[in-house]
Amino acid sequence: MRTFNITRPDDSIRPALIEKIDNLTKPKGSLGKLEDLALRVGLIQQTLEPKLTKPHNILFAADHGITEEGVSVSPREVTWQQLSHFSHGGAGINFLCEQHGFKLVLVDAGVDYDIPQGRGIIDKKVRRGTRNFLREAAMTHEELDLCIARGAEVVDEVYRTGCNVVSFGEMGSGNTSPSSMWMHIFTGIPLDRCIGAGAGLDHSGVNHKLDVLTRSLEAYRGDGSAEDMMAWFGGYELAMATGAMLRAAELGMVILVDGFIMTSCIAAAAHFYPAVLDYAVFGHQGDESGHKLMLQALGADPLLHLNLRLGEGSGAVCAYPILLSAINMINRMDSFADVAVTKYF
């Protein structure tokens, strides 16, 4: 797997950041999470005047062989149909990106369809969908490495435009199944607590999904390493997003983490490079069963809880105005030292 040089932000600037935040014209701590966010971004960027520039939402799409086992209510063709829909501008993530000033980047990581050229979709296709991990490894180690590298390449492209804050989304029928497997593998949470309804399974459907994933785990024939299990139970869009997150952290970008599926990706990233979490802001706690547990396992405190389960990066983009408020707070509020207001705390 490609290696990354991800270091924890230099903590020597922390006292100066805290002093600046504490001496803004407000009671100490009165802006709560906004103060925490300003501190985090200041540490990431190593400045007392952090900025957010040219936000991008990168959406990776791919198909999954495990859908052959009936673990999703969404037909396989929905993946490419929705990806095409995104390119025309009428989906949920489109209005959110437009509303909050994000550029939407669409990436074909492994969709089971030949997407026509000229639709603004970046072709990073590894294969037309993963294999069925109940029967065999979803992807080879070579394919995993390729996904990590291609995800990093997409981040390089947006970074060159001046982007320093990035969110990630996904599209792929059945992709809560590999996400549940990654959650179990990288957090140790029992598998039955990692599985939910996905795109809308009923109670019997969830039980069937648990049965399929349990049998998949029992049938695993790899070497037991984290990298091997990541490939065996993975998805092309998940692996590509993981590589993208690692590269974003290496470049010192702010990473806005979306819901259940993207949280499973950063859990995988953090297994190999724990410092990636220092660059992450968790946008929201989704409605998928297990997401709260995974956030807790990562020590994450999400900004929103809106019962979202759309994916696509929607929760991360929705949370962006809160992050922007934190940056405006540290940069635009006066200090007690600069105005005629008695320090009242």
Side-chain angles (χ1 to χ4, degrees), residues 56-58 102 158 163-168 248 253-256:
H56 282 61
N57 182 63
I58 302 173
F102 276 69
V158 304
C163 169
N164 72 358
V165 54
V166 61
S167 61
F168 300 100
M253 301 172 77
V254 178
I255 302 167
L256 271 169

Side-chain angles (χ1 to χ4, degrees), residues 274-317:
V276 71
L277 294 175
D278 291 325
Y279 298 84
V281 173
F282 288 81
H284 80 114
Q285 179 185 312
D287 203 32
E288 181 71 8
S289 175
H291 192 200
K292 181 179 181 180
L293 294 175
M294 185 160 45
L295 290 167
Q296 290 173 343
L298 295 173
D301 185 16
L303 299 179
L304 303 173
H305 185 183
L306 300 178
N307 297 323
L308 304 179
R309 53 184 178 88
L310 177 65
E312 304 173 12
S314 53
V317 175

Side-chain angles (χ1 to χ4, degrees), residues 147-343:
C147 285
I148 297 294
R150 288 184 176 178
E153 289 169 4
V154 178
V155 168
D156 283 333
E157 289 296 320
V158 304
Y159 181 75
R160 281 192 281 269
T161 71
C163 169
N164 72 358
V165 54
V166 61
S167 61
F168 300 100
E170 42 61 40
M171 179 63 213
S173 295
N175 63 7
T176 58
S177 289
S179 299
S180 295
M181 299 300 280
W182 278 16
M183 174 182 169
H184 170 66
I185 292 163
F186 293 113
T187 69
I189 294 170
L191 185 58
D192 64 338
R193 305 192 71 188
C194 301
I195 295 171
L201 290 171
D202 59 17
H203 181 69
S204 63
V206 172
N207 286 338
H208 172 70
K209 183 176 176 181
L210 174 59
D211 174 66
V212 169
L213 299 193
T214 299
R215 288 190 287 119
S216 298
L217 197 60
E218 292 169 349
Y220 169 66
R221 302 183 302 277
D223 63 20
S225 67
E227 185 173 343
D228 188 71
M229 297 185 81
M230 185 178 178
W232 191 288
F233 298 110
Y236 295 135
E237 82 278 40
L238 275 65
M240 221 169 272
T242 302
M245 290 173 177
L246 290 170
R247 180 58 175 154
E250 186 175 43
L251 291 169
M253 301 172 77
V254 178
I255 302 167
L256 271 169
V257 183
D258 190 44
F260 177 71
I261 295 166
M262 289 298 101
T263 303
S264 75
C265 293
I266 204 161
H271 177 85
F272 297 100
Y273 296 91
V276 71
L277 294 175
D278 291 325
Y279 298 84
V281 173
F282 288 81
H284 80 114
Q285 179 185 312
D287 203 32
E288 181 71 8
S289 175
H291 192 200
K292 181 179 181 180
L293 294 175
M294 185 160 45
L295 290 167
Q296 290 173 343
L298 295 173
D301 185 16
L303 299 179
L304 303 173
H305 185 183
L306 300 178
N307 297 323
L308 304 179
R309 53 184 178 88
L310 177 65
E312 304 173 12
S314 53
V317 175
C318 277
Y320 179 71
I322 298 174
L323 183 63
L324 185 58
S325 292
I327 301 308
N328 288 338
M329 176 203 74
I330 196 171
N331 288 322
R332 296 178 61 180
M333 281 187 73
D334 290 324
S335 167
F336 283 113
D338 300 325
V339 296
V341 176
T342 301
K343 196 170 182 179

